[in-house]
Amino acid sequence: MTLARALWLWLKEIFAGPIRYFRALRAHPTVTFHPGVWIGRDCAFGRNVTVLADAVLAETTVGDHSYVGGGSTVKKSRIGKFCSVGPNVRIGLGIHPTHRVSTYPGFYSPSASGATKFCTDQTVVEYRPVSIGNDVWIGAGAVVADGVVVGDGAIIAAGAVVTSDVAPYVIVGGVPAKTIRSRFDPAMVEFLLRLRWWDMDDATLRLHAHLFGDPERFRKTMEAPRP
């Protein structure tokens, strides 16, 4: 490598981050982006979304009022409204098939980055979409594997590795992640799933925000007959 090319690559790397950041701002002017973010193709955002420093998103939608923590990577995913994605979370990172002679991407993916290419046709499914419900909290350093569906109101503990679907309003943790407990009794879960409070307008949510600390009072108030 010539000195000139080495210098060019060095300068390109230095300015790549700021360029990506300002491109993201221009493409999605209603989203709050912190420095160092990388927003790939086919991303869409709802209202009042925040993406913190050095997060990477590609082919992902993020619903109203959700945030993605710093250093997280999210690919081919749908994230609902009012979700809290902690720092250094990994969602939808791709699949290495285990039934083939080799798991090396160069033998099944002509587009894999960082791998020497030995194949020309792509017959292996490398990614399966991930679906994250509404009001989901994903703790720091958690991993959500391809194809997983996480239900509304679920909590994924920090450092968990989620390889199978997560039911609504349960807390999971561990490697691989297993159910720890439900957040509420079945009647409360059924009520919350039926109510879908995350679809209410902001004015209604502000009116009832003082009730969110008391689930039973919240339910009684929302189920009370309207005058």
Side-chain angles (χ1 to χ4, degrees):
M1 180 183 298
T2 65
L3 179 60
R5 177 163 177 77
L7 179 61
W8 161 247
L9 292 175
W10 178 68
L11 291 172
K12 183 179 179 182
E13 184 63 26
I14 288 177
F15 290 106
I19 289 172
R20 289 195 300 264
Y21 174 65
F22 287 112
R23 282 177 177 172
L25 288 177
R26 185 174 59 183
H28 307 283
T30 63
V31 182
T32 299
F33 292 112
H34 288 222
V37 300
W38 188 93
I39 305 301
R41 67 183 187 278
D42 298 329
C43 285
F45 301 92
R47 298 177 301 111
N48 300 320
V49 170
T50 299
V51 182
L52 282 84
D54 301 318
V56 174
L57 279 73
E59 298 180 72
T60 290
T61 62
V62 183
D64 297 349
H65 304 288
S66 293
Y67 68 84
V68 177
S72 293
T73 299
V74 185
K75 296 181 179 179
K76 289 187 179 292
S77 301
R78 187 201 70 82
I79 298 175
K81 301 176 182 178
F82 293 94
C83 287
S84 307
V85 179
N88 301 312
V89 167
R90 302 289 182 265
I91 302 175
L93 295 186
I95 303 165
H96 285 247
T98 59
H99 65 283
R100 299 170 66 91
V101 171
S102 173
T103 61
Y104 185 71
F107 289 108
Y108 61 82
S109 174
S111 59
S113 60
T116 305
K117 310 301 187 297
F118 293 94
C119 68
T120 56
D121 64 314
Q122 187 169 358
T123 58
V124 172
V125 176
E126 295 183 65
Y127 294 91
R128 293 200 303 271
V130 176
S131 178
I132 308 294
N134 304 281
D135 189 32
V136 173
W137 173 23
I138 303 178
V143 175
V144 181
D146 284 56
V148 166
V149 176
V150 178
D152 296 322
I155 296 175
I156 298 173
V161 177
V162 182
T163 58
S164 57
D165 292 352
V166 178
Y169 286 97
V170 301
I171 302 172
V172 301
V175 182
K178 298 185 182 300
T179 299
I180 298 172
R181 64 177 176 86
S182 179
R183 292 180 59 194
F184 304 112
D185 62 52
M188 178 63 76
V189 171
E190 189 277 332
F191 160 73
L192 291 169
L193 292 175
R194 175 167 40 87
L195 179 66
R196 296 183 60 84
W197 61 262
W198 42 82
D199 288 335
M200 296 177 178
D201 59 66
D202 290 359
T204 301
L205 290 173
R206 289 191 178 94
L207 180 65
H208 295 96
H210 66 287
L211 300 173
F212 272 57
D214 188 337
E216 286 298 336
R217 186 182 173 202
F218 177 75
R219 177 166 64 173
K220 289 178 182 178
T221 301
M222 301 309 295
E223 289 183 332
R226 296 293 187 266

